[in-house]
Amino acid sequence: MPKSFNQKLKILYLMDVLLERTDEEHPISAKDMAQYLRGYGISVERKTVYDDIEALRIYGLDIRNRRGKVGGFYIANRKFQLPEVKFLMDAVQSSRFVTQKKSRELLRKLESLVIPEAAKKLREQLFIEPGNKTVNEEIYSNIQTIYDGMSRNRQIRFHYYEWTLSKELKPKKNGEWYQVSPWKMIWKNENYYLLGLDERSGVVKHYRVDKMMQVEVIEKQKRNGGNIFRDFDLGKFSSSTFGMFGGKERSVRMEFENQFVGVVLDRFGQDVMLIPKDENHFSMQAQIKVSTQFFGWLAGLGTGAVIVSPENIRREYVSFLKKTLKNYGEKYDGKI
């Protein structure tokens, strides 16, 4: 590239070196910046470096000058601070719907938001659990296609897959197309879900995005279900659905030992009403999609959680417990 053109890019190269290589612990001197620019064939005096730094300050960069033996200029405030980048990297690591290949690509991009020394420390803390990631390499393009359908108010179709005992994904319903009006995307239980109106049944359903393949926008079919999703409460849907398993929504009243206050608030949110029963117990009521996943969650709390009403849900829960005992060759003696 001609030397004269590089001179025009001088201030951009300076901005790059400040953003990519400096923080309070790693400043860079004007002398070193001049040396850095010479690597691009740009000759510059130290005074010109100072002038360019002042121009970048006026532009909006928070550039500060550290005095002392190890002094120099550095970026004080970045768009993303180190703890924020660590948080984002942890989210990518734990996201099961992102393949190992895509996870590594995303992590490398996130590392570029901090200086190399910090990136090295973050990299040393990384661990992607083997076998804990989806194998669906289409997931990025599928998410884009789903959002295209939503933004253009169009239906989509796709094949939906399930795991076999041989650890292979096979299409459900003998490879029939699922046709859905897409409305919402939900991140729940470390997975990504599409929430939409199933066009065949007219029922709101959710689908694991990593199990969707060959996703296509149906150009001639507008979405249905706008009246349903106009005031759809995602928070309520999320708290009432256990493990994203469907079920008939019922109002269920339960009693818990006081030690499970935190568990209940984590599950149902801070707005749920907790009613003290005695010194050791409280009750609450919530709209719940009753499923085996809900019963499993309740059973995990042992004797510290009881369904109070309605009676038919109590009986369903007892039946669930009886069947579970039967799997271990135990008989129900009526003392549960």
Side-chain angles (χ1 to χ4, degrees), residues 14 45 54 61 82 131 133 144 214 235 272 279 284 304 317:
L14 278 177
E45 296 181 1
E54 185 59 29
L61 292 185
L82 184 62
K133 294 283 191 177
Q144 182 63 59
Q214 299 90 44
V272 67
E279 291 183 357
M284 56 83 66
Y317 182 48

Side-chain angles (χ1 to χ4, degrees), residues 110-242:
L110 289 170
E111 285 178 9
S112 70
L113 297 174
V114 297
I115 65 172
E117 291 81 0
K120 182 180 178 182
K121 292 180 181 178
L122 290 173
R123 202 177 302 121
E124 291 171 351
Q125 300 174 31
L126 289 178
F127 173 72
I128 298 178
E129 186 178 347
N132 198 36
K133 294 283 191 177
T134 181
V135 295
N136 182 2
E137 294 289 351
E138 296 180 18
I139 190 159
Y140 267 36
S141 60
N142 287 349
I143 290 173
Q144 182 63 59
T145 303
I146 292 168
Y147 276 111
D148 284 347
M150 289 193 287
S151 65
R152 291 156 54 192
N153 197 34
R154 293 293 184 269
Q155 296 178 25
I156 63 171
R157 68 174 190 169
F158 53 88
H159 291 120
Y160 203 50
Y161 283 69
E162 63 183 347
W163 287 102
T164 66
L165 288 175
S166 57
K167 299 181 181 179
E168 295 177 339
L169 284 169
K170 73 170 186 178
K172 297 185 73 172
K173 296 184 178 179
N174 296 318
E176 291 182 20
W177 287 101
Y178 285 64
Q179 189 166 329
V180 174
S181 289
W183 286 95
K184 304 285 184 180
M185 298 285 282
I186 306 172
W187 188 343
K188 177 85 171 176
N189 300 329
E190 299 180 11
N191 288 302
Y192 219 6
Y193 292 88
L194 165 67
L195 190 63
L197 185 71
D198 176 66
E199 290 297 326
R200 179 172 297 179
S201 65
V203 174
V204 173
K205 295 184 179 181
H206 55 267
Y207 307 88
R208 278 262 299 265
V209 175
D210 60 305
K211 293 184 178 181
M212 298 166 59
M213 296 188 188
Q214 299 90 44
V215 183
E216 300 175 0
V217 175
I218 305 175
E219 298 293 346
K220 296 182 179 181
Q221 297 289 333
K222 289 187 176 181
R223 289 188 300 176
N224 294 309
N227 58 324
I228 298 174
F229 287 94
R230 189 171 295 112
D231 300 314
F232 194 84
D233 190 334
L234 269 180
K236 180 181 177 182
F237 174 84
S238 182
S239 65
S240 67
T241 307
F242 283 73

Side-chain angles (χ1 to χ4, degrees), residues 295 299 316-326 336:
F295 291 151
E316 284 183 34
Y317 182 48
V318 170
S319 177
F320 166 82
L321 295 173
K322 289 168 64 176
K323 290 176 181 177
T324 302
L325 284 172
K326 194 174 181 180
I336 292 179

